[in-house]
Amino acid sequence: MSQSLRLGVAGLGTVGAAVVRMVARQAESLGASTGRTIRVTAISSRDRSRDRGFDMTGITWFDDPVALASSADIDCVVELIGGAEGPARETVEAAITAGHHVVTANKALLARHGAALAKAAEAKGVALAYEASVAGGIPVIKSLREGLAGNRVSRLYGIMNGTCNYILTRMEREGLTFDACLKDAQALGYAEADPTFDVEGFDTAHKLAILTSLAFGVEIDSEAVSVEGISAIQPLDLRMAEELGYRIKLLGVAQVAAGGIEQRVHPTMVPKSSSIAQVMGVTNAVTIDADAVGELTLIGPGAGGEATASAVVADIADIAAGAKRPTFGKPAQTLPSSPRVAMQRHEGGYYIRLTVHDRPGVAAGVATRMAERDISIESILQRRSESAAMTDPHGRSGQPVPLVLITYAATEGTIRAALDAIAADGLLAEAPQLIRIERE
Ligand code: NDP
Ligand code: HSE
């Protein structure tokens, strides 16, 4: 067997500790498949005294991950600290400068600095591998970069954040509050250190930016993604979705559009009968439309220590076996930028929940503003609150009540213009809720 691959693991949290345990557990099989012994020889974390579930004897400890990354006694740095700046970025940069391969699960870092890091890694002739950065244990990076190399991709979309899907699933199935579900997702190790990244959609945007670069051959740019999270979703929206035959999912979508690649992240109503609607809990799913293969969907665990470690260890095995490919499929210097495609031009169906004053003519007023802009309404649902009904059986109480519309396809620009006009008419008691519908 040729020389062993010495790993330095920076970050020993949910993922890092699972990686060290997995490398030890699978040592024999990894050695047989790659032709090299793979060993963790250095580790770094903040708290040296904490039990990480593995034996640290014989492994060099570094208080400073940058010192670990610069050490001449390792071959590959596994960065599992997290965050786009600070120690994670410094660790990866130091590793590349020192000529070490890098494996990371850090989508925030790649989304912000991926283009520069890829150029630096390619100039140094080292690998920058990141299978675990998107969709946890699903091998979606390898599938896009290698498995679909002979295809032209026209669209990809999916559920890419385990925390959000876990929250939406439990709110819908168990009627739990948003906060209670988020707390459980944190306890299970699914959420980011700052869960705002999950629930406000940024984590999905980072992942979508990575997949877009690979799928469409453009430079990674998370600024080109339109982002909305799930924090404004109310239990009422989940109930309405159920009643109307939909489920709400946080989707990331990238597709070829006039003017570039449309990249968007937002809560989405999907038909209850669709396959994406069946994806529950921490599970992720990514669907790729490509010319040769047609439609391909990858489904699996999107977060958690073991599932994510599985993807990290796959990258380590590739490096041990000598696999070398440009970070984003093509040489980083050659990738063109892709400008942001304005969300206003997006066309599709919309779920609109208005909170209107309960009085005669309100629904007609809303319908008029929609019709003026040629927006066709597929269905309309009005629910009176019990208190409004009791106060005034004639429907003139003026109390806030929900009015839900489902539209046929319209552009976001016209929908927003109609909502502005409805607000200007004084019909709304609260800001409207707007959720895009994807029917296939
Ligand atoms: P954790 O918060 O569980 O672990 C982070 C680790 O980094 C901790 O061990 C922490 O040390 C260490 N750390 C923080 N700051 C420093 C520092 N200055 N020097 C040395 N070590 C430091 O995060 P996760 O394991 O959940 O995530 C790690 C990465 O993997 C992130 O980029 C995340 O986005 C990504 N990821 C996570 C997934 C998941 O399911 N959790 C799935 C896919 C990707 P200490 O323990 O001593 O406090
Ligand atoms: N916080 C992320 C999620 C981890 O919930 O999907 C996996 O990338």
Side-chain angles (χ1 to χ4, degrees):
M1 203 173 278
S2 61
Q3 217 184 10
S4 67
L5 183 78
R6 298 163 302 174
L7 304 175
V9 180
L12 299 172
T14 305
V15 183
V19 166
V20 179
R21 290 193 296 266
M22 194 175 287
V23 167
R25 195 169 76 225
Q26 293 298 109
E28 205 179 312
S29 149
L30 287 168
S33 63
T34 65
R36 286 174 84 176
T37 305
I38 301 175
R39 293 183 299 131
V40 175
T41 57
I43 48 176
S44 175
S45 212
R46 283 177 300 207
D47 181 355
R48 187 172 184 165
S49 64
R50 195 185 303 170
D51 179 11
R52 312 279 175 174
F54 63 87
D55 182 5
M56 295 188 188
T57 313
I59 305 179
T60 307
W61 176 272
F62 286 83
D63 284 327
D64 177 8
V66 178
L68 173 148
S70 310
S71 162
D73 296 327
I74 54 168
D75 306 301
C76 175
V77 173
V78 185
E79 183 278 305
L80 297 166
I81 296 170
E85 305 295 344
R89 181 182 177 190
E90 289 159 21
T91 298
V92 170
E93 286 176 346
I96 294 170
T97 302
H100 299 323
H101 300 296
V102 175
V103 175
T104 182
N106 191 338
K107 54 270 168 153
L109 175 72
L110 289 165
R112 180 145 341 141
H113 301 296
L117 292 172
K119 284 173 194 161
E122 286 165 30
K124 270 281 183 185
V126 295
L128 172 58
Y130 53 94
E131 182 63 69
S133 67
V134 182
I138 304 176
V140 63
I141 305 293
K142 213 178 185 37
S143 300
L144 269 173
R145 190 177 50 202
E146 294 159 42
L148 297 179
N151 286 256
R152 182 184 289 267
V153 176
S154 54
R155 180 171 78 143
L156 68 85
Y157 67 95
I159 295 169
M160 300 171 199
N161 185 273
T163 300
C164 287
N165 208 46
Y166 176 85
I167 292 172
L168 290 172
T169 300
R170 294 200 68 201
M171 283 176 76
E172 184 198 316
R173 283 187 167 169
E174 299 170 52
L176 297 174
T177 65
F178 184 96
D179 289 343
C181 299
L182 174 57
K183 232 182 214 160
D184 285 351
Q186 288 177 295
L188 289 162
Y190 302 156
E192 296 302 299
D194 175 359
T196 312
F197 280 85
D198 296 292
V199 299
E200 297 304 343
F202 302 119
D203 180 74
T204 302
H206 294 155
K207 292 164 174 168
L208 187 70
I210 293 169
L211 296 188
T212 298
S213 177
L214 281 166
F216 299 97
V218 295
E219 190 166 82
I220 184 166
D221 180 10
S222 58
E223 296 295 314
V225 187
S226 301
V227 189
E228 269 172 42
I230 63 164
S231 60
I233 299 293
Q234 301 290 321
L236 177 59
D237 297 315
L238 293 166
R239 288 201 301 276
M240 287 293 179
E242 164 75 28
E243 201 166 317
L244 292 159
Y246 292 97
R247 247 179 218 137
I248 301 176
K249 299 288 181 189
L250 183 71
L251 292 194
V253 183
Q255 63 191 13
V256 175
I261 314 292
E262 180 178 284
Q263 295 182 68
R264 52 192 166 87
V265 171
H266 49 72
T268 312
M269 294 263 197
V270 293
K272 255 195 285 184
S273 57
S274 64
S275 41
I276 199 103
Q278 319 310 319
V279 178
M280 294 298 196
V282 73
T283 306
N284 281 192
V286 180
T287 296
I288 301 159
D289 290 338
D291 59 353
V293 80
E295 188 182 282
L296 180 76
T297 300
L298 302 160
I299 302 181
E306 281 290 300
T308 310
S310 159
V312 172
V313 171
D315 277 343
I316 294 170
D318 266 357
I319 288 170
K324 223 194 224 170
R325 284 175 184 271
T327 308
F328 293 107
K330 300 190 178 96
Q333 294 285 3
T334 67
L335 296 176
S337 62
S338 176
R340 185 181 182 127
V341 174
M343 210 45 216
Q344 297 282 357
R345 283 170 27 196
H346 170 72
E347 188 171 286
Y350 286 81
Y351 159 96
I352 300 166
R353 177 172 55 77
L354 304 174
T355 307
V356 297
H357 300 287
D358 190 25
R359 58 183 182 231
V362 168
V366 167
T368 301
R369 292 301 188 197
M370 294 282 175
E372 282 167 2
R373 286 160 186 84
D374 211 19
I375 299 166
S376 202
I377 297 171
E378 185 185 294
S379 48
I380 187 159
L381 270 177
Q382 183 159 21
R383 289 277 177 278
R384 295 194 69 204
S385 65
E386 270 178 35
S387 62
M390 280 169 64
T391 326
D392 174 17
H394 304 294
R396 297 187 204 102
S397 72
Q399 285 195 16
V401 288
L403 177 69
V404 171
L405 314 171
I406 299 289
T407 75
Y408 286 105
T411 64
E412 180 126 353
T414 49
I415 292 280
R416 292 209 180 265
L419 292 177
D420 287 347
I422 291 164
D425 290 341
L427 299 180
L428 302 183
E430 281 175 21
Q433 171 72 291
L434 187 152
I435 302 177
R436 294 154 194 97
I437 298 173
E438 297 272 340
R439 292 200 164 91
E440 56 190 60

